[in-house]
Amino acid sequence: MIDLLLRNANLPDGRRGMDIAIHDGRITALGPQLALTAAQEIDAAGHLVAPPLVDAHFHLDAVLSYGLPRVNQSGTLLEGIGLWGELKTTLTQDAVIQRALQYCDWAVARGLLAIRSHVDICDDRLLAVEALLEVKRQVAPYLDLQLVAFPQDGLLRSPGAFANLKRAIALGVEVVGGIPHFERTMEQGAEAVRLLCEFAAEQGLRVDMHCDESDDPLSRHIETLAFHTQRLGLQGRVAGSHLTSMHSMDNYYVSKLLPLMREAGVAAIANPLINITLQGRHDSYPKRRGMTRVPELLAAGVEVAFGQDCVLDPWYSLGSGDMLEVAHMGLHVAQMTSQAAMRLCFEAVTTAPARILGLEAYGLEPGCQADLVIFDAGDCVEAIRLRAARLLVLRRGQIISRTAPPHASLSLPGRPATVDFHIRPR
Ligand code: FE2
């Protein structure tokens, strides 16, 4: 007898009425009307069942610090970096840990069970690094946290940053970060990319750089990142986060750049909520959207994920850990409104970031971890439309979160007593 049988699930690829067998924390079989007996059966009742949401880009050291020591008045990236610099000197390890753990509780309730978080290493104490390594240990039973050593104030611009980055990696941080557009010159940015890629290649590590988070169309560090990725054989292990300058680049140059990114196997991580908020702040009208060219990257065969980036911190005053909200915004900003494109937006918060993070045994095949989310929706497009409740969240086959579906009661003569926002009953 197996541990658990989920009956009548709809899958993200469109298959309907599927059963999922789970034993010892793994998926053991998947198919229609499985002839199996289980210690527990759950009727998914035609709801979407998907592997968990994954956030490819976040900052867990700054999360829930909104208003400390003050709010960002201009709404720009640069004021946010300045504000974080003020806050950084007053951080305590306990406060960082408590805020991060609170956010991870929210994440679990949202079916978000894997997060790649950058952690600022431009602090000789490495206080945030030690705090997030402790958080990683504490949440490991229910959430996969992958940390990126992030030189927020510039690898070359900030004294001691490279040495700190190496110390952070030695302590257990597993991905090499960077911020070439924040170095003093274009040349220094290119040099930082080279040094970081060579270090990652030596150490056998993945790379994820904040890259060209700028409206300057001449910010072309992604070109250098693709070059060194290809040169050093790092294909499939490198991501460029933000890439917002691509929004403003000349079309001819982009037509050269996209195949270079594809050739190098560099992934792109857009952060729709933050890009639409921070970019275009120096424009009058028309105001640029600023998000990177998601449909064109996908058409060129580049892996693309969406990240949340920030929740209630010096850069963003909203957010609640909901990757469906991120997908919803990405869909709108990129005008990805066809059925196929909307499904790609769901993949950009599930399977695509799972591949970028290198998550093992992620997915819905037999042998995969039984980490699953049942959404209050019939398919992944409806899940995005409704930012559907995560009715059940399972980790290794165990239920770790439940949310009741929203139902409004109506008092209208001759009309239904309730509405649930689904087009048709399942
Ligand atoms: Fe970021």
Side-chain angles (χ1 to χ4, degrees), residues 369-422:
Q369 304 281 12
D371 297 350
L372 297 167
V373 181
I374 303 181
F375 294 86
D376 183 29
D379 58 50
C380 51
V381 173
E382 189 175 54
I384 293 174
R385 178 176 70 84
L386 298 175
R387 272 79 80 215
R390 271 91 317 171
L391 301 174
L392 292 180
V393 179
L394 282 78
R395 173 80 164 179
R396 310 295 192 251
Q398 303 290 319
I399 296 170
I400 58 170
S401 177
R402 294 172 188 269
T403 300
H407 288 284
S409 300
L410 296 183
S411 302
L412 299 173
R415 299 305 304 156
T418 63
V419 290
D420 64 6
F421 308 100
H422 298 295

Side-chain angles (χ1 to χ4, degrees), residues 57-59 77 118 150 152 210 213 241-242 271 274 308-310 315:
H57 187 112
F58 197 67
H59 294 264
L77 171 72
H118 297 252
F150 176 44
Q152 171 76 75
H210 286 64
E213 188 179 5
S241 279
H242 293 291
N271 297 290
I274 306 309
Q308 168 109 1
D309 201 5
C310 304
W315 296 274

